[in-house]
Amino acid sequence: MAALAACTALVAGCGNETAPDWAYPELGKTLRSLSRDLDEACGRTETPESCAQDLDRLTAPTERAFAQVLDHRLLDVATVAAMNALDRAREVRVAAAREARSRQDPHHLPLARAVAAEKRAYQNLLAELERLRTAPPPGDGTDPV
């Protein structure tokens, strides 16, 4: 009788209502902060050069978010591709900024294009990270016993 009661209690405790929290609240907070910083970067009156400086300030929070994704083992191919695209966009922007400085032109068109491309790459990465954060992990223990 005691074994039956223990099994019943175990089965009752393993339903969906006791599922682990897989929403990763710390990662969510980091992504919201990064999204807000990205929205505030590159105002309409800013030059591409000052916008590039705004984007440089996003490097540390982006790396923190990516580290949290790695800590939770959420990484997938699409996220790696988005991070690689951001790295390539940053490299292009840095080269364009060097060229703009050498020409002493803060409104250099290739720099403006590179800044816009990097900002889109940040938005794509944020979307991928948010998708990972909100998708339930496989085998998360929510199936009834």
Side-chain angles (χ1 to χ4, degrees):
M1 190 55 105
L4 180 61
C7 287
T8 304
L10 181 64
V11 168
C14 292
N16 286 337
E17 66 276 357
T18 61
D21 181 21
W22 51 262
Y24 311 106
E26 184 179 332
L27 177 59
K29 182 179 174 184
T30 301
L31 293 179
R32 283 188 299 277
S33 174
L34 184 57
S35 179
R36 185 179 55 253
D37 291 346
L38 183 61
D39 289 342
E40 292 172 0
C42 306
R44 293 179 185 248
T45 59
E46 289 189 54
T47 64
E49 187 175 23
S50 64
C51 186
Q53 293 169 356
D54 290 347
L55 293 176
D56 283 337
R57 286 189 282 276
L58 298 177
T59 301
T62 302
E63 289 174 355
R64 186 171 40 254
F66 199 71
Q68 290 172 357
V69 166
L70 291 176
D71 288 346
H72 294 297
R73 298 182 181 154
L74 298 174
L75 198 61
D76 69 358
V77 174
T79 308
V80 172
M83 193 66 177
N84 288 337
L86 175 61
D87 288 341
R88 284 189 304 275
R90 185 178 297 131
E91 288 172 7
V92 169
R93 194 251 312 154
V94 167
R98 230 179 288 126
E99 183 181 337
R101 276 192 302 274
S102 71
R103 293 175 181 240
Q104 298 179 345
D105 181 8
H107 297 284
H108 189 56
L109 185 58
L111 177 57
R113 289 180 181 151
V115 164
E118 185 176 355
K119 193 167 180 180
R120 279 190 307 276
Y122 267 110
Q123 291 165 340
N124 291 341
L125 177 63
L126 276 171
E128 283 299 320
L129 293 175
E130 187 63 27
R131 179 190 58 79
L132 283 179
R133 185 187 74 80
T134 58
D140 63 352
T142 60
D143 295 332
V145 175

